[in-house]
């Protein structure tokens, strides 16, 4: 197998697990590639790991069987943006806290490699959200796994986001911002703003206002076949837009449209993984301090 390992950064206490991961892959005669960011951090950490190759360019990902993301959910989002249209299956090893996306505990890295080679996993196709604009944005990576967000600048007053579904007027949101989340992103920023939880394989987007001025405005679920367009008004000349953790400032003259991306993110899920079990654990459902 050809396997690429990607990570943005990791703490020194995680080094032994990195060494276990690379050693386990060597035992299965894997061809191991590291992204430049991961190799830099690995070298800085002083890890005793050898027998890998630097990923020469993004196009090389087309030859990969798997990409292993080492970090938290933010790292996995970065991995998705890197993999993009190549649709290489991604396995997330969690060194963070929440772990809705990166679901493999660091203590299970050796077991994870065994499961990959034994084929005891499924691959879930997760919908991505695509941004179309009348000017280049996000360095040619106009898609995200979690959400697209329109937001006011830090010190400005609230903005008005006029929103249209397939050309039909929906609402003018007076708010600090507006989130368009995928089912995967329903457990992220949208959830913290009162949005609903959506099963990962549902065919929907959720529109969630951020601190709306009108309290009768509520999140709304729409088909992911919808094309959602926006015009924005505000006292500030510029406002922020983001795709997952990537943000940029644009002015109100920019035309913005979001819809489902043509390709998907393929996430590796082991047979003992359960989204609902993860919800219960991460959100402490049923937890009672008195017991």
């Amino acid at each position: 197998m050809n396997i690429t390992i990607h990570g943005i950064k990791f703490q020194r206490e995680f080094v032994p697990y990195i060494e276990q991961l690379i050693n386990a892959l060597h035992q299965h005669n894997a061809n191991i590639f590291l992204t430049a960011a991961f190799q830099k951090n690995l070298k800085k950490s002083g890890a005793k790991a050898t027998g890998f190759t630097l990923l020469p360019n993004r196009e090389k990902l087309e030859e990969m069987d798997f990409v292993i993301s080492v970090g938290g959910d933010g790292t996995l989002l970065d991995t998705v943006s890197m993999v993009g249209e190549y649709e290489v299956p991604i396995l997330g090893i969690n060194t963070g806290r929440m772990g809705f996306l990166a679901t493999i505990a660091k203590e299970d890295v050796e077991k994870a490699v065994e499961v990959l080679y034994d084929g005891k996993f499924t691959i879930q196709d997760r919908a991505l959200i695509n941004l179309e604009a009348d000017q280049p944005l996000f360095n040619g990576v106009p898609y995200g796994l979690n959400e697209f967000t329109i937001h006011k600048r830090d010190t400005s007053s609230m903005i008005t986001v006029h929103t249209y579904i397939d050309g039909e007027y929906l609402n003018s949101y007076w708010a600090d911002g507006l989130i368009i989340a995928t089912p995967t992103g329903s457990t992220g920023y949208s959830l913290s703003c009162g949005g609903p939880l959506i099963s990962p394989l549902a065919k929907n987007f959720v529109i969630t206002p951020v601190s709306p001025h009108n309290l009768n405005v509520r999140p709304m679920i729409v088909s992911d076949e919808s094309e959602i367009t926006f015009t924005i008004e505000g006292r500030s000349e510029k406002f922020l837009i983001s795709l997952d953790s990537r943000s940029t400032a644009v002015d109100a003259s920019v035309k913005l449209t979001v819809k489902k991306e043509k390709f998907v993110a393929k996430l590796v899920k082991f047979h003992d993984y359960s989204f609902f079990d993860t919800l219960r654990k991460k959100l402490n459902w049923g937890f009672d301090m008195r017991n």
Side-chain angles (χ1 to χ4, degrees):
M1 285 188 185
N2 294 327
I3 295 177
T4 289
I5 305 175
H6 176 60
I8 301 172
K9 61 181 179 180
F10 53 86
Q11 303 298 323
R12 287 187 178 274
E13 55 264 29
F14 192 74
V15 169
Y17 302 103
I18 296 288
E19 294 172 345
Q20 288 179 24
L21 173 62
I22 293 176
N23 288 336
L25 290 171
H26 279 314
Q27 290 173 13
H28 287 84
N29 298 315
N31 298 316
I32 306 170
F33 296 82
L34 304 185
T35 61
F38 191 76
Q39 185 191 45
K40 178 181 178 181
N41 284 300
L42 192 67
K43 184 176 180 180
K44 187 186 299 184
S45 72
K48 298 176 181 178
T50 58
F52 49 78
T53 304
L54 179 67
L55 188 73
N57 50 58
R58 182 172 173 269
E59 290 72 23
K60 185 71 173 178
L61 289 169
E62 194 170 13
E63 302 175 18
M64 297 297 120
D65 294 289
F66 297 97
V67 174
I68 297 178
S69 171
V70 178
D73 285 355
T75 301
L76 196 139
L77 293 174
D78 187 71
T79 304
V80 168
S81 67
M82 177 185 72
V83 170
E85 70 277 12
Y86 297 118
E87 294 189 332
V88 183
I90 300 169
L91 174 67
I93 295 178
N94 184 29
T95 66
R97 288 167 291 182
M98 290 302 288
F100 277 111
L101 300 174
T103 57
I104 305 301
K106 58 183 182 294
E107 295 84 6
D108 295 331
V109 292
E110 292 180 336
K111 175 186 174 183
V113 173
E114 293 291 336
V115 172
L116 279 185
Y117 275 84
D118 289 342
K120 296 178 180 178
F121 60 86
T122 58
I123 294 178
Q124 290 187 350
D125 290 352
R126 299 290 185 93
L128 300 171
I129 194 164
N130 170 272
L131 170 67
E132 290 184 355
D134 56 357
Q135 67 180 52
L137 296 170
F138 297 109
N139 298 316
V141 187
Y143 53 84
L145 177 61
N146 268 2
E147 71 271 315
F148 168 73
T149 304
I150 300 168
H151 210 283
K152 69 170 189 174
R153 299 292 289 271
D154 291 342
T155 58
S156 65
S157 58
M158 67 181 178
I159 57 178
T160 304
V161 185
H162 305 294
T163 306
Y164 302 81
I165 306 293
D166 296 326
E168 182 178 353
Y169 176 64
L170 171 65
N171 189 27
S172 294
Y173 292 93
W174 295 2
D176 283 356
L178 192 67
I179 305 164
I180 313 298
T182 65
T184 300
S186 71
T187 58
Y189 189 19
S190 175
L191 177 64
S192 71
C193 293
L197 291 167
I198 305 177
S199 178
L201 302 183
K203 307 295 184 182
N204 302 110
F205 289 141
V206 58
I207 302 173
T208 306
V210 181
S211 302
H213 179 70
N214 297 328
L215 297 181
N216 59 340
V217 174
R218 292 291 182 265
M220 181 175 180
I221 296 173
V222 299
S223 167
D224 67 3
E225 297 298 326
S226 303
E227 186 172 281
I228 310 171
T229 56
F230 314 95
T231 58
I232 298 95
E233 296 179 21
R235 294 179 183 175
S236 175
E237 293 183 359
K238 289 185 176 291
F239 55 92
L240 296 175
I241 60 172
S242 65
L243 281 166
D244 293 344
S245 57
R246 296 168 287 133
S247 297
T248 188
V250 296
D251 61 55
S253 66
V254 176
K255 296 179 181 179
L256 302 170
T257 300
V258 296
K259 59 185 179 180
K260 183 170 64 175
E261 182 56 88
K262 296 177 181 177
F263 51 85
V264 298
K266 294 183 176 292
L267 302 188
V268 176
K269 297 300 177 187
F270 293 166
H271 289 168
D272 60 356
Y273 167 80
S274 166
F275 172 71
F276 303 113
D277 185 48
T278 301
L279 283 183
R280 288 193 300 273
K281 291 178 179 178
K282 300 299 181 181
L283 301 181
N284 292 323
W285 285 359
F287 179 75
D288 190 336
M289 287 290 292
R290 296 169 298 179
N291 297 322

